[in-house]
Amino acid sequence: MNGGELNGGVLFHLGPLAISDTVLTTWGVMLLLALAAMLLTYRLAPLPKRRQTIAEGLVAVIERAIGDVLPADAVRRVLPFIASLWIFVLTANLAGLIPGLHAPTRDLSATAALAALVFASTHWYGIRAKGLRAYLRHYAQPSVILLPFHIISELTRTLALAIRLFGNIMSLEMAALLVLLIAGFLVPVPLLMLHVIEAVVQAYIFGILALIYIAGAIEPIASSESVESIDSGAITEPLNADAAPGVPPAAAVANPNDKEES
Amino acid sequence: MQFDWTTFVLEVLNFLVLVWILKRFLYRPVLEVLDARQARVQDEMAQAARLQQEGASLRQQYEERLAHWAQEREQLRQQLQQELAQQRAAGAAGIRQSLADEEAKARVRNAAMTASHEAELVRLAAGEAYRNVAAMLGRLASPPLTASLVRLLVEDLAGLPEAQRASLRSAAEKLVAGARAEVGSAHALDDELLREIARGVSAAAGRDLPVTVSVEPTLIAGVRVAVGECLLHANLADELAFFRHQDGRG
Protein backbone atom coordinates (compact mmCIF):
# COMPACT_ATOMS: atom_id res chain seq x y z
CA MET A 1 0.00 0.00 0.00
CA ASN A 2 1.41 3.36 -1.01
CA GLY A 3 0.29 6.92 -0.72
CA GLY A 4 -1.86 6.60 -3.82
CA GLU A 5 -3.79 3.78 -2.25
CA LEU A 6 -4.37 5.78 0.83
CA ASN A 7 -5.79 8.61 -1.19
CA GLY A 8 -7.92 6.46 -3.48
CA GLY A 9 -6.44 5.18 -6.75
CA VAL A 10 -8.33 5.34 -10.05
CA LEU A 11 -9.76 1.95 -10.88
CA PHE A 12 -11.37 2.67 -14.21
CA HIS A 13 -12.78 5.43 -16.30
CA LEU A 14 -16.48 5.89 -16.92
CA GLY A 15 -16.45 8.17 -19.90
CA PRO A 16 -14.61 11.30 -18.86
CA LEU A 17 -14.97 10.37 -15.18
CA ALA A 18 -12.13 8.64 -13.40
CA ILE A 19 -13.72 6.23 -10.93
CA SER A 20 -11.54 5.74 -7.89
CA ASP A 21 -11.83 3.02 -5.30
CA THR A 22 -13.26 5.67 -2.96
CA VAL A 23 -16.20 6.24 -5.28
CA LEU A 24 -16.61 2.57 -5.92
CA THR A 25 -16.61 1.78 -2.20
CA THR A 26 -19.07 4.61 -1.67
CA TRP A 27 -21.37 3.07 -4.23
CA GLY A 28 -21.08 -0.23 -2.42
CA VAL A 29 -21.88 1.45 0.86
CA MET A 30 -24.82 3.20 -0.75
CA LEU A 31 -26.08 -0.07 -2.18
CA LEU A 32 -25.67 -1.77 1.15
CA LEU A 33 -27.49 1.02 2.98
CA ALA A 34 -30.29 1.12 0.41
CA LEU A 35 -30.82 -2.63 0.66
CA ALA A 36 -30.69 -2.47 4.44
CA ALA A 37 -33.21 0.38 4.49
CA MET A 38 -35.59 -1.47 2.20
CA LEU A 39 -35.16 -4.66 4.19
CA LEU A 40 -35.77 -2.96 7.53
CA THR A 41 -38.84 -1.09 6.31
CA TYR A 42 -40.37 -3.99 4.36
CA ARG A 43 -43.99 -4.49 5.40
CA LEU A 44 -44.11 -2.16 8.35
CA ALA A 45 -46.83 -3.07 10.82
CA PRO A 46 -48.49 -1.22 13.68
CA LEU A 47 -47.04 -3.79 16.07
CA PRO A 48 -43.32 -3.95 15.24
CA LYS A 49 -41.27 -7.12 15.15
CA ARG A 50 -37.53 -7.38 15.63
CA ARG A 51 -36.54 -6.06 12.21
CA GLN A 52 -38.95 -3.12 12.38
CA THR A 53 -37.95 -2.42 15.95
CA ILE A 54 -34.34 -1.99 14.84
CA ALA A 55 -35.35 0.52 12.18
CA GLU A 56 -37.66 2.40 14.53
CA GLY A 57 -35.05 2.42 17.28
CA LEU A 58 -32.39 3.75 14.93
CA VAL A 59 -34.59 6.55 13.59
CA ALA A 60 -36.01 7.37 17.02
CA VAL A 61 -32.56 7.64 18.60
CA ILE A 62 -31.35 9.92 15.83
CA GLU A 63 -34.48 12.02 16.03
CA ARG A 64 -34.12 12.39 19.79
CA ALA A 65 -30.46 13.36 19.45
CA ILE A 66 -31.35 16.00 16.89
CA GLY A 67 -34.28 17.15 19.00
CA ASP A 68 -31.92 17.79 21.90
CA VAL A 69 -30.09 20.36 19.80
CA LEU A 70 -32.63 21.85 17.41
CA PRO A 71 -36.05 23.39 17.92
CA ALA A 72 -38.85 20.87 17.58
CA ASP A 73 -40.16 22.35 14.33
CA ALA A 74 -36.77 21.98 12.62
CA VAL A 75 -36.04 18.39 13.63
CA ARG A 76 -37.90 16.64 10.84
CA ARG A 77 -36.45 19.06 8.29
CA VAL A 78 -32.84 18.41 9.27
CA LEU A 79 -33.19 14.73 10.17
CA PRO A 80 -32.58 13.22 6.70
CA PHE A 81 -29.32 15.08 6.23
CA ILE A 82 -27.86 14.56 9.70
CA ALA A 83 -29.03 10.95 9.97
CA SER A 84 -27.58 10.18 6.58
CA LEU A 85 -24.29 11.76 7.62
CA TRP A 86 -24.12 9.60 10.73
CA ILE A 87 -25.09 6.41 8.95
CA PHE A 88 -22.91 6.97 5.92
CA VAL A 89 -19.81 8.10 7.78
CA LEU A 90 -20.12 5.23 10.24
CA THR A 91 -20.57 2.68 7.49
CA ALA A 92 -17.81 4.20 5.42
CA ASN A 93 -15.45 4.20 8.39
CA LEU A 94 -16.25 0.57 9.14
CA ALA A 95 -15.75 -0.40 5.51
CA GLY A 96 -12.01 -0.14 6.13
CA LEU A 97 -12.23 -3.23 8.34
CA ILE A 98 -13.11 -5.41 5.36
CA PRO A 99 -9.99 -6.92 3.85
CA GLY A 100 -9.25 -5.48 0.44
CA LEU A 101 -11.36 -2.39 0.99
CA HIS A 102 -10.44 1.06 2.14
CA ALA A 103 -12.69 3.40 4.05
CA PRO A 104 -13.90 6.15 1.68
CA THR A 105 -13.43 8.60 4.55
CA ARG A 106 -9.70 8.10 4.46
CA ASP A 107 -9.84 10.05 1.15
CA LEU A 108 -9.66 13.83 1.55
CA SER A 109 -11.81 14.25 -1.55
CA ALA A 110 -14.66 12.35 0.12
CA THR A 111 -14.37 14.09 3.50
CA ALA A 112 -14.09 17.43 1.72
CA ALA A 113 -17.24 16.63 -0.21
CA LEU A 114 -19.05 15.84 3.02
CA ALA A 115 -17.67 18.99 4.66
CA ALA A 116 -18.74 21.03 1.64
CA LEU A 117 -22.22 19.57 1.92
CA VAL A 118 -22.29 20.48 5.62
CA PHE A 119 -21.12 23.99 4.73
CA ALA A 120 -23.82 24.34 2.08
CA SER A 121 -26.56 22.77 4.20
CA THR A 122 -25.73 25.07 7.10
CA HIS A 123 -26.43 28.12 4.96
CA TRP A 124 -29.38 26.43 3.28
CA TYR A 125 -31.15 25.65 6.55
CA GLY A 126 -30.19 29.04 7.99
CA ILE A 127 -31.64 30.93 5.03
CA ARG A 128 -34.78 28.75 5.08
CA ALA A 129 -35.26 29.40 8.75
CA LYS A 130 -34.53 33.13 8.89
CA GLY A 131 -34.61 34.47 5.37
CA LEU A 132 -31.62 35.57 3.27
CA ARG A 133 -31.35 39.14 4.57
CA ALA A 134 -31.66 38.23 8.23
CA TYR A 135 -29.29 35.32 7.81
CA LEU A 136 -26.59 37.44 6.17
CA ARG A 137 -27.08 40.19 8.73
CA HIS A 138 -25.83 37.99 11.55
CA TYR A 139 -22.36 37.93 9.98
CA ALA A 140 -22.09 41.65 10.73
CA GLN A 141 -23.12 41.32 14.33
CA PRO A 142 -22.29 42.49 16.86
CA SER A 143 -20.00 44.67 14.66
CA VAL A 144 -19.13 44.88 10.98
CA ILE A 145 -15.49 44.60 11.92
CA LEU A 146 -16.14 40.95 12.79
CA LEU A 147 -17.39 40.11 9.30
CA PRO A 148 -14.03 38.81 7.97
CA PHE A 149 -13.55 36.78 11.11
CA HIS A 150 -16.97 35.21 10.70
CA ILE A 151 -16.12 34.32 7.10
CA ILE A 152 -12.76 32.91 8.08
CA SER A 153 -14.46 30.95 10.85
CA GLU A 154 -16.93 29.45 8.41
CA LEU A 155 -14.17 28.36 6.05
CA THR A 156 -11.79 27.06 8.68
CA ARG A 157 -14.36 25.04 10.52
CA THR A 158 -15.40 23.45 7.25
CA LEU A 159 -11.80 22.73 6.46
CA ALA A 160 -11.28 21.37 9.95
CA LEU A 161 -14.31 19.16 9.54
CA ALA A 162 -12.86 17.60 6.41
CA ILE A 163 -9.32 17.32 7.71
CA ARG A 164 -10.40 15.88 11.06
CA LEU A 165 -12.27 12.96 9.60
CA PHE A 166 -9.72 12.37 6.86
CA GLY A 167 -6.76 12.56 9.26
CA ASN A 168 -8.21 10.24 11.86
CA ILE A 169 -9.35 7.52 9.49
CA MET A 170 -6.27 7.73 7.27
CA SER A 171 -3.90 7.61 10.23
CA LEU A 172 -5.82 4.73 11.75
CA GLU A 173 -5.60 2.68 8.57
CA MET A 174 -1.94 3.52 8.18
CA ALA A 175 -1.20 2.57 11.75
CA ALA A 176 -3.03 -0.73 11.29
CA LEU A 177 -1.08 -1.37 8.09
CA LEU A 178 2.27 -0.63 9.73
CA VAL A 179 1.49 -2.84 12.72
CA LEU A 180 0.40 -5.59 10.37
CA LEU A 181 3.62 -5.33 8.41
CA ILE A 182 5.85 -5.20 11.46
CA ALA A 183 4.20 -7.38 14.07
CA GLY A 184 2.52 -10.14 12.14
CA PHE A 185 -0.89 -11.54 11.42
CA LEU A 186 -2.91 -11.42 14.71
CA VAL A 187 -1.25 -8.51 16.46
CA PRO A 188 -3.36 -5.76 14.72
CA VAL A 189 -6.59 -7.26 16.12
CA PRO A 190 -6.67 -4.90 19.14
CA LEU A 191 -5.93 -2.08 16.76
CA LEU A 192 -8.89 -3.15 14.63
CA MET A 193 -11.07 -3.02 17.72
CA LEU A 194 -9.81 0.49 18.24
CA HIS A 195 -10.74 1.08 14.62
CA VAL A 196 -14.36 0.21 15.40
CA ILE A 197 -14.44 2.59 18.33
CA GLU A 198 -12.75 5.31 16.36
CA ALA A 199 -15.18 4.81 13.47
CA VAL A 200 -18.14 5.28 15.76
CA VAL A 201 -16.59 8.25 17.51
CA GLN A 202 -15.60 10.02 14.33
CA ALA A 203 -18.99 9.44 12.75
CA TYR A 204 -20.66 10.86 15.84
CA ILE A 205 -18.34 13.85 15.94
CA PHE A 206 -18.84 14.63 12.28
CA GLY A 207 -22.61 14.43 12.55
CA ILE A 208 -22.92 16.31 15.81
CA LEU A 209 -20.65 19.11 14.56
CA ALA A 210 -22.75 19.40 11.43
CA LEU A 211 -25.85 19.46 13.61
CA ILE A 212 -24.40 22.20 15.81
CA TYR A 213 -23.39 24.23 12.76
CA ILE A 214 -26.93 24.00 11.43
CA ALA A 215 -28.33 24.87 14.83
CA GLY A 216 -26.01 27.88 14.88
CA ALA A 217 -27.31 28.94 11.51
CA ILE A 218 -30.88 28.65 12.66
CA GLU A 219 -30.16 30.45 15.94
CA PRO A 220 -26.79 32.15 15.34
CA ILE A 221 -26.39 34.11 18.52
CA ALA A 222 -27.21 31.29 20.82
CA SER A 223 -25.09 28.66 19.17
CA SER A 224 -22.14 30.47 17.62
CA GLU A 225 -20.32 30.68 20.91
CA SER A 226 -20.91 27.00 21.52
CA VAL A 227 -19.48 26.00 18.17
CA GLU A 228 -16.37 28.08 18.62
CA SER A 229 -15.91 26.62 22.04
CA ILE A 230 -16.13 23.09 20.68
CA ASP A 231 -13.63 23.82 17.94
CA SER A 232 -11.19 25.26 20.40
CA GLY A 233 -11.56 22.24 22.67
CA ALA A 234 -12.22 24.52 25.62
CA ILE A 235 -15.63 23.16 26.60
CA THR A 236 -15.86 21.25 29.80
CA GLU A 237 -19.41 22.36 30.65
CA PRO A 238 -22.63 21.62 28.76
CA LEU A 239 -23.39 23.75 25.76
CA ASN A 240 -25.81 26.61 25.80
CA ALA A 241 -28.95 25.19 27.29
CA ASP A 242 -31.29 27.12 25.00
CA ALA A 243 -29.58 26.15 21.78
CA ALA A 244 -28.42 22.62 22.59
CA PRO A 245 -29.79 21.34 25.88
CA GLY A 246 -28.63 17.78 25.35
CA VAL A 247 -25.22 18.16 23.80
CA PRO A 248 -22.81 17.37 26.65
CA PRO A 249 -21.76 14.09 24.99
CA ALA A 250 -20.62 16.04 21.93
CA ALA A 251 -18.50 18.33 24.00
CA ALA A 252 -17.04 15.44 25.90
CA VAL A 253 -16.19 13.65 22.69
CA ALA A 254 -14.94 16.69 20.86
CA ASN A 255 -12.20 17.50 23.29
CA PRO A 256 -10.05 14.40 22.95
CA ASN A 257 -10.45 14.58 19.21
CA ASP A 258 -9.10 18.08 19.06
CA LYS A 259 -6.25 17.12 21.27
CA GLU A 260 -5.49 14.28 18.93
CA GLU A 261 -5.36 16.63 16.00
CA SER A 262 -3.16 19.07 17.77
CA MET B 1 -2.75 13.59 0.56
CA GLN B 2 -4.25 14.25 -2.86
CA PHE B 3 -7.43 15.98 -3.77
CA ASP B 4 -9.41 14.75 -6.78
CA TRP B 5 -12.16 16.98 -8.02
CA THR B 6 -13.91 14.13 -9.84
CA THR B 7 -14.09 12.14 -6.65
CA PHE B 8 -15.18 15.26 -4.81
CA VAL B 9 -18.08 15.91 -7.18
CA LEU B 10 -19.07 12.27 -7.35
CA GLU B 11 -19.03 12.02 -3.56
CA VAL B 12 -21.26 15.06 -3.30
CA LEU B 13 -23.67 13.52 -5.77
CA ASN B 14 -23.42 10.14 -4.12
CA PHE B 15 -24.26 11.56 -0.74
CA LEU B 16 -27.20 13.53 -2.07
CA VAL B 17 -28.50 10.37 -3.72
CA LEU B 18 -27.97 8.47 -0.50
CA VAL B 19 -29.91 11.09 1.42
CA TRP B 20 -32.78 10.72 -1.03
CA ILE B 21 -32.67 6.91 -0.86
CA LEU B 22 -32.61 6.80 2.89
CA LYS B 23 -35.29 9.45 3.14
CA ARG B 24 -37.45 7.55 0.68
CA PHE B 25 -36.94 4.03 2.05
CA LEU B 26 -36.06 4.52 5.70
CA TYR B 27 -36.86 7.82 7.37
CA ARG B 28 -40.21 8.59 5.82
CA PRO B 29 -41.88 5.18 6.32
CA VAL B 30 -40.46 4.72 9.79
CA LEU B 31 -41.43 8.23 10.86
CA GLU B 32 -44.90 7.70 9.42
CA VAL B 33 -45.25 4.52 11.42
CA LEU B 34 -43.96 6.26 14.54
CA ASP B 35 -46.29 9.20 14.01
CA ALA B 36 -49.24 6.90 13.42
CA ARG B 37 -48.41 4.92 16.52
CA GLN B 38 -47.94 8.09 18.56
CA ALA B 39 -51.25 9.41 17.26
CA ARG B 40 -52.90 6.11 18.10
CA VAL B 41 -51.34 6.14 21.56
CA GLN B 42 -52.50 9.70 22.08
CA ASP B 43 -55.98 8.76 20.91
CA GLU B 44 -56.01 5.78 23.22
CA MET B 45 -54.72 7.93 26.06
CA ALA B 46 -57.37 10.52 25.31
CA GLN B 47 -59.97 7.78 25.16
CA ALA B 48 -58.61 6.31 28.38
CA ALA B 49 -58.73 9.74 29.99
CA ARG B 50 -62.27 10.19 28.72
CA LEU B 51 -63.23 6.75 29.99
CA GLN B 52 -61.58 7.53 33.29
CA GLN B 53 -63.49 10.77 33.47
CA GLU B 54 -66.71 8.97 32.57
CA GLY B 55 -65.90 6.34 35.16
CA ALA B 56 -65.29 9.02 37.75
CA SER B 57 -68.55 10.70 36.76
CA LEU B 58 -70.43 7.40 36.96
CA ARG B 59 -68.81 6.65 40.27
CA GLN B 60 -69.81 10.04 41.57
CA GLN B 61 -73.36 9.48 40.34
CA TYR B 62 -73.37 6.05 41.92
CA GLU B 63 -72.13 7.43 45.22
CA GLU B 64 -74.70 10.23 45.07
CA ARG B 65 -77.39 7.67 44.28
CA LEU B 66 -76.23 5.50 47.15
CA ALA B 67 -76.30 8.47 49.47
CA HIS B 68 -79.76 9.36 48.19
CA TRP B 69 -80.90 5.79 48.68
CA ALA B 70 -79.47 5.76 52.18
CA GLN B 71 -81.28 9.00 52.94
CA GLU B 72 -84.53 7.65 51.51
CA ARG B 73 -84.06 4.41 53.46
CA GLU B 74 -83.50 6.37 56.65
CA GLN B 75 -86.58 8.48 55.98
CA LEU B 76 -88.66 5.39 55.21
CA ARG B 77 -87.35 3.67 58.33
CA GLN B 78 -88.26 6.68 60.47
CA GLN B 79 -91.66 6.87 58.77
CA LEU B 80 -92.19 3.16 59.35
CA GLN B 81 -91.22 3.53 62.99
CA GLN B 82 -93.66 6.42 63.35
CA GLU B 83 -96.43 4.42 61.69
CA LEU B 84 -95.64 1.42 63.88
CA ALA B 85 -95.71 3.62 66.96
CA GLN B 86 -99.02 5.12 65.86
CA GLN B 87 -100.48 1.70 65.12
CA ARG B 88 -99.12 0.38 68.41
CA ALA B 89 -100.66 3.32 70.27
CA ALA B 90 -103.94 2.95 68.37
CA GLY B 91 -103.97 -0.80 69.05
CA ALA B 92 -103.23 -0.27 72.72
CA ALA B 93 -105.96 2.37 72.93
CA GLY B 94 -108.38 0.02 71.16
CA ILE B 95 -107.44 -2.80 73.47
CA ARG B 96 -107.83 -0.54 76.48
CA GLN B 97 -111.21 0.66 75.18
CA SER B 98 -112.29 -2.91 74.50
CA LEU B 99 -111.19 -3.95 77.96
CA ALA B 100 -113.07 -1.00 79.46
CA ASP B 101 -116.17 -1.92 77.47
CA GLU B 102 -115.89 -5.54 78.50
CA GLU B 103 -115.33 -4.46 82.06
CA ALA B 104 -118.40 -2.20 81.95
CA LYS B 105 -120.46 -4.97 80.37
CA ALA B 106 -119.25 -7.39 83.01
CA ARG B 107 -120.00 -4.86 85.71
CA VAL B 108 -123.50 -4.27 84.33
CA ARG B 109 -124.00 -8.01 83.88
CA ASN B 110 -122.85 -8.64 87.42
CA ALA B 111 -125.08 -5.87 88.72
CA ALA B 112 -128.08 -7.24 86.82
CA MET B 113 -127.28 -10.74 88.00
CA THR B 114 -126.89 -9.51 91.55
CA ALA B 115 -130.16 -7.56 91.36
CA SER B 116 -131.91 -10.58 89.88
CA HIS B 117 -130.55 -12.75 92.64
CA GLU B 118 -131.55 -10.19 95.25
CA ALA B 119 -135.07 -9.91 93.76
CA GLU B 120 -135.34 -13.66 93.68
CA LEU B 121 -134.17 -13.86 97.25
CA VAL B 122 -136.61 -11.12 98.25
CA ARG B 123 -139.38 -12.89 96.41
CA LEU B 124 -138.49 -16.19 98.01
CA ALA B 125 -138.21 -14.53 101.40
CA ALA B 126 -141.50 -12.69 100.95
CA GLY B 127 -143.23 -15.90 99.83
CA GLU B 128 -141.81 -17.73 102.77
CA ALA B 129 -142.82 -14.89 105.07
CA TYR B 130 -146.38 -14.74 103.74
CA ARG B 131 -146.69 -18.48 103.94
CA ASN B 132 -145.61 -18.29 107.55
CA VAL B 133 -147.97 -15.36 108.19
CA ALA B 134 -150.79 -17.20 106.42
CA ALA B 135 -150.10 -20.28 108.52
CA MET B 136 -150.07 -18.21 111.66
CA LEU B 137 -153.23 -16.29 110.66
CA GLY B 138 -154.84 -19.61 109.71
CA ARG B 139 -154.36 -20.72 113.26
CA LEU B 140 -155.84 -17.41 114.55
CA ALA B 141 -158.77 -17.43 112.08
CA SER B 142 -162.22 -18.07 113.51
CA PRO B 143 -165.89 -17.29 112.76
CA PRO B 144 -165.84 -14.34 115.14
CA LEU B 145 -162.90 -12.89 113.23
CA THR B 146 -164.89 -13.38 110.04
CA ALA B 147 -167.90 -11.65 111.64
CA SER B 148 -165.65 -8.78 112.70
CA LEU B 149 -164.34 -8.46 109.20
CA VAL B 150 -167.90 -8.46 107.81
CA ARG B 151 -168.76 -5.61 110.10
CA LEU B 152 -165.68 -3.72 108.97
CA LEU B 153 -166.83 -4.30 105.38
CA VAL B 154 -170.25 -2.91 106.11
CA GLU B 155 -168.67 0.13 107.78
CA ASP B 156 -166.35 0.70 104.88
CA LEU B 157 -169.23 0.42 102.40
CA ALA B 158 -171.02 3.13 104.32
CA GLY B 159 -168.02 5.44 104.11
CA LEU B 160 -166.92 4.35 100.64
CA PRO B 161 -165.27 7.15 98.57
CA GLU B 162 -167.45 8.53 95.83
CA ALA B 163 -165.26 7.23 93.01
CA GLN B 164 -165.40 3.67 94.31
CA ARG B 165 -169.05 4.04 94.99
CA ALA B 166 -169.62 5.15 91.38
CA SER B 167 -167.72 2.16 90.14
CA LEU B 168 -169.75 -0.12 92.31
CA ARG B 169 -172.99 1.41 91.12
CA SER B 170 -171.89 1.14 87.53
CA ALA B 171 -171.07 -2.57 88.00
CA ALA B 172 -174.42 -3.10 89.71
CA GLU B 173 -176.31 -1.34 86.93
CA LYS B 174 -174.76 -3.70 84.44
CA LEU B 175 -176.24 -6.66 86.27
CA VAL B 176 -179.31 -8.16 84.78
CA ALA B 177 -182.51 -8.10 86.72
CA GLY B 178 -182.64 -10.72 89.39
CA ALA B 179 -178.90 -11.01 89.63
CA ARG B 180 -177.29 -11.46 93.03
CA ALA B 181 -174.20 -10.39 94.74
CA GLU B 182 -171.96 -13.38 95.35
CA VAL B 183 -170.43 -13.60 98.82
CA GLY B 184 -167.53 -15.92 99.51
CA SER B 185 -166.78 -16.49 103.20
CA ALA B 186 -164.02 -18.34 105.07
CA HIS B 187 -166.58 -19.49 107.62
CA ALA B 188 -170.29 -20.03 107.52
CA LEU B 189 -172.24 -16.81 108.09
CA ASP B 190 -175.41 -16.44 110.01
CA ASP B 191 -178.46 -14.68 108.60
CA GLU B 192 -177.85 -11.49 110.54
CA LEU B 193 -174.48 -11.03 108.97
CA LEU B 194 -175.93 -11.84 105.54
CA ARG B 195 -178.54 -9.19 105.90
CA GLU B 196 -176.00 -6.63 107.04
CA ILE B 197 -173.95 -7.48 103.98
CA ALA B 198 -177.03 -7.23 101.71
CA ARG B 199 -177.98 -3.87 103.17
CA GLY B 200 -174.52 -2.45 102.99
CA VAL B 201 -173.97 -3.60 99.39
CA SER B 202 -177.42 -2.46 98.25
CA ALA B 203 -176.86 0.92 99.85
CA ALA B 204 -173.51 1.32 98.22
CA ALA B 205 -174.69 0.02 94.81
CA GLY B 206 -177.80 2.03 94.80
CA ARG B 207 -180.18 -0.87 94.18
CA ASP B 208 -181.34 -3.91 96.02
CA LEU B 209 -179.05 -6.81 95.57
CA PRO B 210 -179.79 -10.15 97.16
CA VAL B 211 -176.68 -12.18 98.12
CA THR B 212 -175.62 -15.77 97.81
CA VAL B 213 -173.06 -17.26 100.14
CA SER B 214 -170.35 -19.82 99.53
CA VAL B 215 -167.69 -21.02 101.96
CA GLU B 216 -164.08 -20.52 100.78
CA PRO B 217 -161.54 -21.69 103.40
CA THR B 218 -158.71 -20.19 101.34
CA LEU B 219 -159.85 -16.78 102.50
CA ILE B 220 -158.52 -17.66 106.00
CA ALA B 221 -160.94 -15.25 107.61
CA GLY B 222 -163.45 -12.70 106.25
CA VAL B 223 -165.48 -12.45 103.06
CA ARG B 224 -165.17 -11.50 99.39
CA VAL B 225 -168.22 -9.90 97.70
CA ALA B 226 -168.55 -9.91 93.90
CA VAL B 227 -170.96 -7.40 92.35
CA GLY B 228 -170.71 -8.05 88.68
CA GLU B 229 -167.26 -7.06 87.67
CA CYS B 230 -166.53 -5.34 90.95
CA LEU B 231 -164.95 -7.19 93.89
CA LEU B 232 -165.10 -6.12 97.51
CA HIS B 233 -162.36 -7.67 99.68
CA ALA B 234 -162.66 -8.09 103.38
CA ASN B 235 -160.58 -11.20 104.14
CA LEU B 236 -157.06 -12.03 105.31
CA ALA B 237 -156.02 -14.00 102.21
CA ASP B 238 -156.69 -11.10 99.87
CA GLU B 239 -155.03 -8.67 102.25
CA LEU B 240 -151.89 -10.87 102.39
CA ALA B 241 -151.94 -11.22 98.63
CA PHE B 242 -152.31 -7.46 98.36
CA PHE B 243 -149.34 -6.86 100.68
CA ARG B 244 -147.33 -9.50 98.90
CA HIS B 245 -148.13 -7.86 95.60
CA GLN B 246 -147.12 -4.48 96.97
CA ASP B 247 -143.79 -5.87 98.27
CA GLY B 248 -143.06 -7.49 94.94
CA ARG B 249 -143.51 -4.18 93.13
CA GLY B 250 -141.60 -2.27 95.80
Side-chain angles (χ1 to χ4, degrees), chain B residues 24-224:
Chain B
R24 170 67 179 80
F25 294 105
L26 181 63
Y27 308 137
R28 183 181 300 168
V30 171
L31 288 176
E32 286 177 353
V33 169
L34 290 177
D35 290 343
R37 183 178 302 147
Q38 185 174 5
R40 189 171 63 253
V41 168
Q42 288 179 349
D43 291 343
E44 291 178 354
M45 289 181 66
Q47 185 176 1
R50 189 173 64 253
L51 290 176
Q52 185 178 8
Q53 188 175 1
E54 291 177 0
S57 177
L58 289 175
R59 181 176 180 180
Q60 184 178 2
Q61 291 179 2
Y62 174 71
E63 289 177 349
E64 290 177 353
R65 192 175 303 168
L66 278 181
H68 183 64
W69 284 348
Q71 186 178 1
E72 285 186 349
R73 185 181 58 193
E74 183 65 22
Q75 290 179 352
L76 290 175
R77 191 175 67 82
Q78 292 180 356
Q79 185 177 356
L80 179 62
Q81 287 181 348
Q82 291 178 356
E83 291 179 355
L84 287 176
Q86 290 176 356
Q87 290 182 359
R88 191 181 300 116
I95 291 173
R96 280 196 297 271
Q97 183 64 35
S98 174
L99 288 175
D101 293 344
E102 291 296 327
E103 186 179 359
K105 289 179 181 178
R107 195 162 45 242
V108 170
R109 191 162 51 245
N110 289 335
M113 194 177 297
T114 302
S116 174
H117 288 168
E118 289 178 351
E120 182 66 21
L121 289 176
V122 168
R123 189 179 58 80
L124 291 176
E128 189 66 22
Y130 284 117
R131 272 194 298 274
N132 293 334
V133 171
M136 186 180 65
L137 291 177
R139 293 176 63 185
L140 293 176
S142 62
L145 181 57
T146 299
S148 298
L149 291 173
V150 168
R151 290 186 187 96
L152 286 177
L153 174 65
V154 172
E155 289 177 1
D156 289 342
L157 287 173
L160 195 66
E162 189 58 32
Q164 293 182 2
R165 186 182 298 274
S167 296
L168 182 59
R169 286 178 179 174
S170 173
E173 288 175 356
K174 293 178 181 177
L175 293 176
V176 298
R180 293 174 176 266
E182 297 177 359
V183 177
S185 174
H187 299 89
L189 297 176
D190 54 12
D191 294 338
E192 182 62 26
L193 289 176
L194 287 175
R195 283 191 295 270
E196 287 182 5
I197 292 171
R199 279 196 302 270
V201 170
S202 297
R207 58 177 291 187
D208 290 334
L209 288 174
V211 296
T212 59
V213 179
S214 60
V215 178
E216 295 181 10
T218 56
L219 296 180
I220 302 174
V223 297
R224 178 189 297 140

Side-chain angles (χ1 to χ4, degrees), chain A residues 37-49 51-52, chain B residues 29 33:
Chain A
M38 287 187 283
L39 178 65
L40 291 176
T41 58
Y42 180 68
R43 289 184 178 178
L44 295 177
L47 292 177
K49 294 183 179 178
R51 176 172 48 81
Q52 184 177 342
Chain B
V33 169

Side-chain angles (χ1 to χ4, degrees), chain B residues 223-236:
Chain B
V223 297
R224 178 189 297 140
V225 179
V227 180
E229 60 184 7
C230 185
L231 290 177
L232 300 175
H233 302 282
N235 57 79
L236 295 179

Side-chain angles (χ1 to χ4, degrees), chain A residues 7 18-20 22-23 26-27 30 33-34 37-38 41 44 46 48 52 56 59 76 80-81 83-85 87-88 108-110 112-114 116-117 166, chain B residues 1-27 29-35 37-38 40:
Chain A
N7 291 323
I19 305 302
S20 62
T22 299
V23 175
T26 300
W27 286 347
M30 290 173 58
L33 292 179
M38 287 187 283
T41 58
L44 295 177
Q52 184 177 342
E56 291 182 0
V59 175
R76 290 290 174 92
F81 180 73
S84 299
L85 268 182
I87 294 172
F88 174 73
L108 181 61
S109 302
L114 295 177
L117 284 171
F166 159 72
Chain B
M1 183 172 67
Q2 294 179 347
F3 185 82
D4 182 33
W5 281 104
T6 303
T7 302
F8 177 82
V9 173
L10 287 177
E11 287 294 330
V12 170
L13 295 176
N14 288 339
F15 186 77
L16 291 178
V17 171
L18 179 65
V19 170
W20 181 86
I21 290 174
L22 293 180
K23 183 178 180 181
R24 170 67 179 80
F25 294 105
L26 181 63
Y27 308 137
V30 171
L31 288 176
E32 286 177 353
V33 169
L34 290 177
D35 290 343
R37 183 178 302 147
Q38 185 174 5
R40 189 171 63 253

